[in-house]
Amino acid sequence: MTRTPVPAGRWRSVRSRGAVAAATVVLAAIVPGADVALGDQRTSAELAYTCAFPAGPHPVKVQVAARFPARAATGAAIRPAEVTTSVTLPEAAVAELTGLRAATTGATTRLTTEVAQNGAAAKALWLGTAPSVPLTSPGGAVFRATGDVPTVTANSPGDLTVTAAGLTLEFRPVTAEGGATDPATLSVPCTPAPGAKGLLATVPIGTASSPPAPTPSTSATAPAAGGASRGTPESAPRIAPPKAAAAPAATAPKCQGDTTDPLALAAYTTGYSNVTKMGNASLIPVFCSKVVQGPNQLKRIEVRPGVFELHLLQNSVGRLDYQGRAQTPPGPATFLTFGFMPTTATMTLEATGPLSIESDLNNTAGHGETYIRAPLVLHISDVKVNGTPLDVGPNCRTTGPVYSTDPDPARNTKDHLVLLGELKKGADTVWRGYSLSRGGPLDGSVTIPPFTGCGVGEDLSPLFTASVSGPANTVKQNQGAPCASGIEDDPAQLCTADKQPTTIPTPLR
């Protein structure tokens, strides 16, 4: 079988000599579909590549792992899941990055895969993103990139194979001071080593009970947008362009990030606050946080004589944003006044200053901590006691911010809450928990100060102080994966087209 070369990254069709191929391979949009799979197969392929760095070629080890169905029926969408592309750079390649004064770098992988069946073939691009890693480890550096990939649909029986082809690595190096290197990005093309076999998976395709319906986004007579093909319509591969990330749900406020700052993030967060005197948990509605990441600092800390740990430190600042105001959206709360009267109210948290976000990733010990400090004043409005409105006026609020006992004695000033997010590296080398760049759970405990300014004509502040104020009120929040609004590339589809987060978290108790 011969193939006609085509420009990289475009589609091609291949027809067996003397016969028209009976298969049409469709690389569809990444959307939930009626997958037909009888069991799964987990695959892992170790591949050898040669990557053209600026100073010369370097051998690079690549491992591609994924989960495929063990078999599928014609017309069924096959979506590779849990796709991970692990790239190991040798020391010589890392030296080229550190030669740019890079201390850390993240990476984007662009792996071209060939999907073939019954003599017809098409190419699909698998995109992945890898978090930043320090460039000080001996023996090179390892990047583990993850991301969703296109689905594949076969419309005729026969083995369907997926094979790795070309690879491009894109690095975003950062100096120890947190600035960009020169150049700010580095794109490195890689080719399979001579004689390398890049087979990732083989999926047997059986006959379906009825012929598949045509997909709405493709045509039987013309190529779909974003692809190129040759050959008869029956054999030519088709591609449906991926759908744009959906806009946030109506329950989430607008959260459009800064597109001018490459270190800007925008994220949604929600959770519950268990107010002790209320006897129940109050929902903290989904709210928007906008963050500017601070510089990364690598620091070797001597934990005992001659023993050092490598820490990655980062201090960032953030602010709440609800319709241009530094607050959370108003949310309902229920409690008892006079110890027995059911009372409903609307609660809002207003920030009186910026959020401080301090992260310490201990790469040696395999754990990290992020402390978020926020000065938040609690406002109460729209109060009803036993269903009867109670006018508390426009300025019913706590006398100061709700506050936590700060683990840093020098900062234990009782004017801010403290939330802690923890990140731990498992035995399988996978990091789990919270980090600013990926989201996750945050925990804290706060004291609610007395109230002031409540009531019209009479002072109702003591009523709310007795019903709500006090210590030991737990807070549990859940931050969604942020949108890196200042970066154009978004292979993981964490941003909408107008740079709002696509991940809306669910509250945790």
Side-chain angles (χ1 to χ4, degrees):
M1 178 168 59
T2 60
R3 293 180 170 86
T4 303
V6 295
R10 294 183 64 82
W11 292 78
R12 64 180 179 180
S13 62
V14 180
R15 188 172 59 172
S16 299
R17 186 179 63 177
V20 177
T24 299
V25 180
V26 179
L27 288 140
I30 305 172
V31 295
D35 297 343
V36 178
L38 305 175
D40 289 334
Q41 55 171 319
R42 295 183 179 272
T43 65
S44 180
E46 295 187 358
L47 312 173
Y49 280 84
T50 300
C51 298
F53 280 79
H58 295 294
V60 171
K61 295 179 180 179
V62 177
Q63 183 179 48
V64 181
R67 178 168 56 84
F68 291 84
R71 60 182 62 247
T74 56
I78 300 171
R79 181 179 182 180
E82 301 172 14
V83 177
T84 302
T85 303
S86 300
V87 178
T88 302
L89 298 185
E91 288 188 42
V94 173
E96 292 206 35
L97 295 171
T98 56
L100 301 174
R101 297 184 58 245
T104 65
T105 185
T108 298
T109 58
R110 300 177 179 271
L111 177 65
T112 300
T113 62
E114 182 180 89
V115 183
Q117 186 194 36
N118 298 337
K123 285 189 175 181
L125 189 62
W126 288 13
L127 298 177
T129 55
S132 292
V133 300
L135 298 177
T136 56
S137 302
V142 179
F143 301 86
R144 291 179 175 86
T146 59
D148 290 329
V149 301
T151 58
V152 177
T153 302
N155 292 336
S156 64
D159 284 352
L160 183 142
T161 60
V162 181
T163 305
L167 173 68
T168 299
L169 305 175
E170 295 183 356
F171 299 100
R172 305 177 297 278
V174 177
T175 66
E177 296 76 25
T181 59
D182 185 13
T185 61
L186 182 65
S187 182
V188 179
C190 305
T191 56
K197 298 183 183 295
L199 182 65
L200 301 179
T202 299
V203 181
I205 306 297
T207 304
S209 57
S210 60
T215 52
S217 57
T218 59
S219 165
T221 58
S229 63
R230 290 201 303 273
T232 65
E234 292 79 12
S235 64
R238 293 287 189 265
I239 181 172
K243 288 186 177 181
T251 55
K254 184 177 180 180
C255 193
Q256 190 169 7
D258 184 356
T259 58
T260 64
D261 190 338
L263 297 179
L265 301 175
Y268 286 121
T269 306
T270 186
Y272 282 100
S273 174
N274 291 290
V275 180
T276 301
K277 288 185 177 179
M278 289 170 141
N280 64 2
S282 293
L283 174 68
I284 302 173
V286 175
F287 63 90
C288 169
S289 299
K290 296 182 179 180
V291 176
V292 177
Q293 300 173 89
N296 291 317
Q297 179 186 3
L298 280 174
K299 189 173 182 179
R300 292 176 73 241
I301 299 176
E302 189 172 14
V303 293
R304 56 182 182 273
V307 179
F308 293 85
E309 292 180 340
L310 182 63
H311 290 248
L312 179 62
L313 308 176
Q314 184 187 58
N315 294 338
S316 305
V317 294
R319 63 183 178 88
L320 303 184
D321 188 355
Y322 175 67
Q323 299 179 352
R325 299 188 295 273
Q327 66 175 63
T328 62
T334 301
F335 52 97
L336 298 177
T337 52
F338 307 108
F340 65 91
M341 295 291 287
T343 302
T344 61
T346 297
M347 287 190 174
T348 306
L349 292 170
E350 178 189 16
T352 60
L355 281 63
S356 168
I357 306 165
E358 299 181 0
S359 301
D360 180 355
L361 176 64
N362 186 334
N363 192 62
T364 305
H367 69 81
E369 294 179 335
T370 298
Y371 284 98
I372 299 179
R373 295 174 171 89
L376 301 176
V377 172
L378 176 60
H379 289 253
I380 291 181
S381 60
D382 302 325
V383 178
K384 292 183 180 180
V385 179
N386 205 20
T388 302
L390 178 65
D391 190 355
V392 298
N395 297 310
C396 184
R397 65 196 187 280
T398 52
T399 55
V402 299
Y403 62 89
S404 308
T405 300
D406 199 300
D408 181 357
R411 303 173 71 172
N412 191 24
T413 51
K414 297 184 179 181
D415 60 0
H416 58 272
L417 69 79
V418 180
L419 295 174
L420 171 63
E422 295 185 277
L423 186 67
K424 295 182 179 180
K425 187 177 183 180
D428 56 359
T429 73
V430 175
W431 291 86
R432 296 179 176 88
Y434 176 85
S435 70
L436 176 61
S437 62
R438 62 192 289 176
L442 294 153
D443 295 277
S445 178
V446 300
T447 294
I448 300 175
F451 280 80
T452 186
C454 304
V456 176
E458 62 176 319
D459 186 9
L460 300 176
S461 300
L463 174 65
F464 295 105
T465 298
S467 303
V468 179
S469 300
N473 305 287
T474 59
V475 178
K476 191 172 188 68
Q477 295 188 359
N478 186 23
Q479 179 201 308
C483 163
S485 57
I487 299 177
E488 183 176 352
D489 199 17
D490 182 30
Q493 296 190 343
L494 297 178
C495 303
T496 63
D498 60 348
K499 294 301 183 180
Q500 297 189 65
T502 56
T503 305
I504 301 176
T506 56
L508 301 175
R509 289 184 183 269

